[in-house]
mmCIF file of all heavy atoms in Angstrom:
data_model
loop_
_atom_site.group_PDB
_atom_site.id
_atom_site.type_symbol
_atom_site.label_atom_id
_atom_site.label_comp_id
_atom_site.label_asym_id
_atom_site.label_seq_id
_atom_site.Cartn_x
_atom_site.Cartn_y
_atom_site.Cartn_z
ATOM 1 N N GLY K 169 16.706 7.833 -9.497
ATOM 2 C CA GLY K 169 15.341 7.866 -9.078
ATOM 3 C C GLY K 169 15.103 7.282 -7.682
ATOM 4 O O GLY K 169 13.944 7.259 -7.186
ATOM 5 N N LEU K 170 16.148 6.820 -6.971
ATOM 6 C CA LEU K 170 15.991 6.181 -5.674
ATOM 7 C C LEU K 170 15.941 7.245 -4.575
ATOM 8 O O LEU K 170 16.866 8.051 -4.487
ATOM 9 C CB LEU K 170 17.106 5.181 -5.393
ATOM 10 C CG LEU K 170 17.061 3.891 -6.213
ATOM 11 C CD1 LEU K 170 18.254 3.019 -5.851
ATOM 12 C CD2 LEU K 170 15.750 3.094 -5.930
ATOM 13 N N PRO K 171 14.911 7.231 -3.722
ATOM 14 C CA PRO K 171 14.824 8.220 -2.638
ATOM 15 C C PRO K 171 15.968 8.102 -1.578
ATOM 16 O O PRO K 171 16.265 9.081 -0.952
ATOM 17 C CB PRO K 171 13.482 7.986 -2.020
ATOM 18 C CG PRO K 171 13.124 6.549 -2.400
ATOM 19 C CD PRO K 171 13.742 6.331 -3.716
ATOM 20 N N VAL K 172 16.576 6.919 -1.485
ATOM 21 C CA VAL K 172 17.637 6.757 -0.461
ATOM 22 C C VAL K 172 18.984 7.234 -0.943
ATOM 23 O O VAL K 172 19.938 7.292 -0.208
ATOM 24 C CB VAL K 172 17.704 5.308 0.009
ATOM 25 C CG1 VAL K 172 16.430 4.888 0.732
ATOM 26 C CG2 VAL K 172 18.008 4.357 -1.123
ATOM 27 N N VAL K 173 19.080 7.485 -2.244
ATOM 28 C CA VAL K 173 20.367 7.931 -2.836
ATOM 29 C C VAL K 173 20.386 9.463 -2.774
ATOM 30 O O VAL K 173 19.633 10.113 -3.449
ATOM 31 C CB VAL K 173 20.555 7.429 -4.275
ATOM 32 C CG1 VAL K 173 21.822 8.043 -4.887
ATOM 33 C CG2 VAL K 173 20.670 5.887 -4.255
ATOM 34 N N ARG K 174 21.290 9.988 -1.966
ATOM 35 C CA ARG K 174 21.405 11.430 -1.820
ATOM 36 C C ARG K 174 22.212 12.020 -2.948
ATOM 37 O O ARG K 174 21.891 13.088 -3.504
ATOM 38 C CB ARG K 174 22.014 11.804 -0.472
ATOM 39 C CG ARG K 174 21.941 13.259 -0.106
ATOM 40 C CD ARG K 174 22.836 13.556 1.096
ATOM 41 N NE ARG K 174 22.492 12.778 2.281
ATOM 42 C CZ ARG K 174 21.593 13.109 3.160
ATOM 43 N NH1 ARG K 174 20.925 14.247 3.019
ATOM 44 N NH2 ARG K 174 21.341 12.363 4.226
ATOM 45 N N ASN K 175 23.297 11.343 -3.329
ATOM 46 C CA ASN K 175 24.167 11.907 -4.370
ATOM 47 C C ASN K 175 25.036 10.732 -4.906
ATOM 48 O O ASN K 175 25.300 9.786 -4.187
ATOM 49 C CB ASN K 175 25.062 13.003 -3.800
ATOM 50 C CG ASN K 175 25.796 13.770 -4.887
ATOM 51 O OD1 ASN K 175 25.346 13.817 -6.009
ATOM 52 N ND2 ASN K 175 26.995 14.260 -4.575
ATOM 53 N N SER K 176 25.457 10.869 -6.140
ATOM 54 C CA SER K 176 26.372 9.886 -6.678
ATOM 55 C C SER K 176 27.372 10.639 -7.611
ATOM 56 O O SER K 176 26.960 11.537 -8.369
ATOM 57 C CB SER K 176 25.639 8.790 -7.468
ATOM 58 O OG SER K 176 24.935 9.327 -8.553
ATOM 59 N N ARG K 177 28.649 10.185 -7.579
ATOM 60 C CA ARG K 177 29.685 10.809 -8.376
ATOM 61 C C ARG K 177 30.531 9.760 -9.038
ATOM 62 O O ARG K 177 30.994 8.801 -8.384
ATOM 63 C CB ARG K 177 30.551 11.712 -7.485
ATOM 64 C CG ARG K 177 29.850 12.843 -6.818
ATOM 65 C CD ARG K 177 30.760 13.654 -5.929
ATOM 66 N NE ARG K 177 31.372 12.838 -4.876
ATOM 67 C CZ ARG K 177 30.762 12.559 -3.747
ATOM 68 N NH1 ARG K 177 29.537 12.887 -3.562
ATOM 69 N NH2 ARG K 177 31.371 11.813 -2.850
ATOM 70 N N VAL K 178 30.701 9.884 -10.313
ATOM 71 C CA VAL K 178 31.565 8.944 -11.083
ATOM 72 C C VAL K 178 33.030 9.271 -10.767
ATOM 73 O O VAL K 178 33.488 10.393 -11.023
ATOM 74 C CB VAL K 178 31.282 8.994 -12.588
ATOM 75 C CG1 VAL K 178 32.313 8.117 -13.332
ATOM 76 C CG2 VAL K 178 29.877 8.539 -12.901
ATOM 77 N N ILE K 179 33.741 8.326 -10.189
ATOM 78 C CA ILE K 179 35.171 8.537 -9.881
ATOM 79 C C ILE K 179 36.082 8.098 -11.067
ATOM 80 O O ILE K 179 37.047 8.768 -11.400
ATOM 81 C CB ILE K 179 35.538 7.732 -8.634
ATOM 82 C CG1 ILE K 179 34.623 8.141 -7.469
ATOM 83 C CG2 ILE K 179 37.040 7.959 -8.267
ATOM 84 C CD1 ILE K 179 34.657 9.582 -7.099
ATOM 85 N N ALA K 180 35.702 6.991 -11.697
ATOM 86 C CA ALA K 180 36.433 6.505 -12.836
ATOM 87 C C ALA K 180 35.520 5.657 -13.696
ATOM 88 O O ALA K 180 34.543 5.065 -13.214
ATOM 89 C CB ALA K 180 37.652 5.649 -12.390
ATOM 90 N N MET K 181 35.803 5.626 -14.989
ATOM 91 C CA MET K 181 34.972 4.875 -15.911
ATOM 92 C C MET K 181 35.851 4.252 -16.999
ATOM 93 O O MET K 181 36.768 4.897 -17.521
ATOM 94 C CB MET K 181 33.924 5.786 -16.556
ATOM 95 C CG MET K 181 33.030 5.037 -17.548
ATOM 96 S SD MET K 181 31.822 6.113 -18.371
ATOM 97 C CE MET K 181 30.713 6.459 -16.987
ATOM 98 N N SER K 182 35.601 3.022 -17.356
ATOM 99 C CA SER K 182 36.255 2.363 -18.462
ATOM 100 C C SER K 182 35.158 1.644 -19.280
ATOM 101 O O SER K 182 33.973 1.740 -18.962
ATOM 102 C CB SER K 182 37.303 1.380 -17.974
ATOM 103 O OG SER K 182 36.703 0.248 -17.377
ATOM 104 N N LYS K 183 35.573 0.903 -20.298
ATOM 105 C CA LYS K 183 34.641 0.136 -21.089
ATOM 106 C C LYS K 183 34.037 -1.020 -20.310
ATOM 107 O O LYS K 183 32.996 -1.553 -20.706
ATOM 108 C CB LYS K 183 35.312 -0.425 -22.383
ATOM 109 C CG LYS K 183 35.760 0.692 -23.335
ATOM 110 C CD LYS K 183 36.455 0.089 -24.508
ATOM 111 C CE LYS K 183 36.859 1.203 -25.506
ATOM 112 N NZ LYS K 183 37.555 0.623 -26.681
ATOM 113 N N ARG K 184 34.656 -1.377 -19.175
ATOM 114 C CA ARG K 184 34.238 -2.591 -18.499
ATOM 115 C C ARG K 184 33.647 -2.329 -17.088
ATOM 116 O O ARG K 184 32.973 -3.173 -16.520
ATOM 117 C CB ARG K 184 35.432 -3.561 -18.314
ATOM 118 C CG ARG K 184 36.045 -3.980 -19.656
ATOM 119 C CD ARG K 184 37.247 -4.809 -19.431
ATOM 120 N NE ARG K 184 36.932 -6.087 -18.765
ATOM 121 C CZ ARG K 184 37.890 -6.931 -18.353
ATOM 122 N NH1 ARG K 184 39.187 -6.634 -18.515
ATOM 123 N NH2 ARG K 184 37.556 -8.090 -17.761
ATOM 124 N N GLU K 185 33.858 -1.112 -16.549
ATOM 125 C CA GLU K 185 33.397 -0.827 -15.191
ATOM 126 C C GLU K 185 33.258 0.656 -14.939
ATOM 127 O O GLU K 185 33.881 1.486 -15.625
ATOM 128 C CB GLU K 185 34.299 -1.467 -14.177
ATOM 129 C CG GLU K 185 35.653 -0.758 -14.054
ATOM 130 C CD GLU K 185 36.537 -1.360 -13.027
ATOM 131 O OE1 GLU K 185 36.356 -2.560 -12.666
ATOM 132 O OE2 GLU K 185 37.471 -0.674 -12.579
ATOM 133 N N VAL K 186 32.406 0.960 -13.971
ATOM 134 C CA VAL K 186 32.251 2.338 -13.447
ATOM 135 C C VAL K 186 32.518 2.277 -11.994
ATOM 136 O O VAL K 186 32.038 1.426 -11.251
ATOM 137 C CB VAL K 186 30.885 2.867 -13.721
ATOM 138 C CG1 VAL K 186 30.658 4.255 -13.070
ATOM 139 C CG2 VAL K 186 30.545 2.917 -15.181
ATOM 140 N N GLN K 187 33.435 3.166 -11.503
ATOM 141 C CA GLN K 187 33.670 3.346 -10.101
ATOM 142 C C GLN K 187 32.891 4.571 -9.594
ATOM 143 O O GLN K 187 33.021 5.679 -10.145
ATOM 144 C CB GLN K 187 35.145 3.509 -9.838
ATOM 145 C CG GLN K 187 35.500 3.567 -8.352
ATOM 146 C CD GLN K 187 36.995 3.698 -8.092
ATOM 147 O OE1 GLN K 187 37.748 3.662 -9.020
ATOM 148 N NE2 GLN K 187 37.374 3.854 -6.824
ATOM 149 N N LEU K 188 32.022 4.324 -8.597
ATOM 150 C CA LEU K 188 31.061 5.372 -8.228
ATOM 151 C C LEU K 188 31.119 5.604 -6.710
ATOM 152 O O LEU K 188 31.222 4.679 -5.901
ATOM 153 C CB LEU K 188 29.653 4.852 -8.549
ATOM 154 C CG LEU K 188 28.467 5.846 -8.529
ATOM 155 C CD1 LEU K 188 28.645 6.853 -9.714
ATOM 156 C CD2 LEU K 188 27.177 5.098 -8.629
ATOM 157 N N SER K 189 31.116 6.896 -6.367
ATOM 158 C CA SER K 189 30.969 7.280 -4.953
ATOM 159 C C SER K 189 29.523 7.537 -4.705
ATOM 160 O O SER K 189 28.900 8.413 -5.309
ATOM 161 C CB SER K 189 31.794 8.509 -4.669
ATOM 162 O OG SER K 189 31.603 8.936 -3.305
ATOM 163 N N LEU K 190 28.900 6.773 -3.766
ATOM 164 C CA LEU K 190 27.454 6.809 -3.554
ATOM 165 C C LEU K 190 27.160 7.284 -2.159
ATOM 166 O O LEU K 190 27.512 6.652 -1.138
ATOM 167 C CB LEU K 190 26.878 5.407 -3.772
ATOM 168 C CG LEU K 190 25.389 5.264 -3.902
ATOM 169 C CD1 LEU K 190 24.929 5.904 -5.234
ATOM 170 C CD2 LEU K 190 24.987 3.750 -3.944
ATOM 171 N N ASP K 191 26.488 8.458 -2.003
ATOM 172 C CA ASP K 191 25.987 8.934 -0.721
ATOM 173 C C ASP K 191 24.555 8.476 -0.533
ATOM 174 O O ASP K 191 23.720 8.681 -1.440
ATOM 175 C CB ASP K 191 26.049 10.455 -0.648
ATOM 176 C CG ASP K 191 27.483 10.967 -0.734
ATOM 177 O OD1 ASP K 191 28.428 10.296 -0.306
ATOM 178 O OD2 ASP K 191 27.683 12.071 -1.297
ATOM 179 N N TYR K 192 24.226 7.913 0.610
ATOM 180 C CA TYR K 192 22.871 7.406 0.847
ATOM 181 C C TYR K 192 22.360 7.807 2.237
ATOM 182 O O TYR K 192 23.152 8.162 3.129
ATOM 183 C CB TYR K 192 22.848 5.881 0.668
ATOM 184 C CG TYR K 192 23.671 5.135 1.744
ATOM 185 C CD1 TYR K 192 23.145 4.722 2.872
ATOM 186 C CD2 TYR K 192 25.041 4.915 1.468
ATOM 187 C CE1 TYR K 192 23.868 3.979 3.854
ATOM 188 C CE2 TYR K 192 25.828 4.249 2.427
ATOM 189 C CZ TYR K 192 25.226 3.796 3.570
ATOM 190 O OH TYR K 192 25.977 3.157 4.511
ATOM 191 N N VAL K 193 21.045 7.753 2.415
ATOM 192 C CA VAL K 193 20.422 7.972 3.698
ATOM 193 C C VAL K 193 19.858 6.641 4.189
ATOM 194 O O VAL K 193 19.596 5.753 3.388
ATOM 195 C CB VAL K 193 19.349 9.071 3.611
ATOM 196 C CG1 VAL K 193 19.884 10.427 3.287
ATOM 197 C CG2 VAL K 193 18.260 8.653 2.637
ATOM 198 N N GLY K 194 19.706 6.557 5.500
ATOM 199 C CA GLY K 194 19.197 5.330 6.093
ATOM 200 C C GLY K 194 20.313 4.324 6.283
ATOM 201 O O GLY K 194 21.445 4.731 6.467
ATOM 202 N N SER K 195 19.959 3.040 6.215
ATOM 203 C CA SER K 195 20.944 1.980 6.453
ATOM 204 C C SER K 195 21.381 1.312 5.144
ATOM 205 O O SER K 195 20.742 1.556 4.113
ATOM 206 C CB SER K 195 20.365 0.942 7.399
ATOM 207 O OG SER K 195 19.288 0.245 6.702
ATOM 208 N N THR K 196 22.473 0.588 5.222
ATOM 209 C CA THR K 196 22.918 -0.159 4.086
ATOM 210 C C THR K 196 21.890 -1.178 3.613
ATOM 211 O O THR K 196 21.688 -1.400 2.407
ATOM 212 C CB THR K 196 24.279 -0.878 4.350
ATOM 213 O OG1 THR K 196 25.200 0.053 4.866
ATOM 214 C CG2 THR K 196 24.784 -1.518 3.100
ATOM 215 N N ASN K 197 21.195 -1.773 4.600
ATOM 216 C CA ASN K 197 20.117 -2.740 4.235
ATOM 217 C C ASN K 197 19.004 -2.070 3.453
ATOM 218 O O ASN K 197 18.433 -2.641 2.541
ATOM 219 C CB ASN K 197 19.592 -3.417 5.523
ATOM 220 C CG ASN K 197 20.526 -4.442 6.087
ATOM 221 O OD1 ASN K 197 21.425 -4.913 5.441
ATOM 222 N ND2 ASN K 197 20.354 -4.732 7.349
ATOM 223 N N GLN K 198 18.650 -0.836 3.836
ATOM 224 C CA GLN K 198 17.593 -0.121 3.130
ATOM 225 C C GLN K 198 18.058 0.233 1.701
ATOM 226 O O GLN K 198 17.259 0.169 0.735
ATOM 227 C CB GLN K 198 17.194 1.133 3.892
ATOM 228 C CG GLN K 198 16.395 0.848 5.120
ATOM 229 C CD GLN K 198 16.029 2.123 5.886
ATOM 230 O OE1 GLN K 198 16.849 3.053 6.026
ATOM 231 N NE2 GLN K 198 14.818 2.196 6.364
ATOM 232 N N LEU K 199 19.338 0.597 1.582
ATOM 233 C CA LEU K 199 19.895 0.835 0.216
ATOM 234 C C LEU K 199 19.858 -0.445 -0.590
ATOM 235 O O LEU K 199 19.476 -0.396 -1.769
ATOM 236 C CB LEU K 199 21.339 1.348 0.370
ATOM 237 C CG LEU K 199 22.084 1.520 -0.961
ATOM 238 C CD1 LEU K 199 21.435 2.571 -1.826
ATOM 239 C CD2 LEU K 199 23.536 1.907 -0.680
#
């Protein structure tokens, strides 16, 4: 639901963590 997130892809998942590739617009501070 975040407007600054352009796309996200799950790279790996376990019972304890999710590794995510996150594409965003704007700056890291805005994210």
Side-chain angles (χ1 to χ4, degrees):
L170 288 177
V172 296
V173 174
R174 191 191 302 271
N175 190 28
S176 62
R177 299 178 299 280
V178 174
I179 304 301
M181 179 183 290
S182 71
K183 295 179 179 179
R184 301 175 65 187
E185 70 180 23
V186 175
Q187 184 179 355
L188 193 70
S189 175
L190 194 67
D191 297 329
Y192 63 94
V193 295
S195 67
T196 306
N197 286 340
Q198 288 179 318
L199 175 61

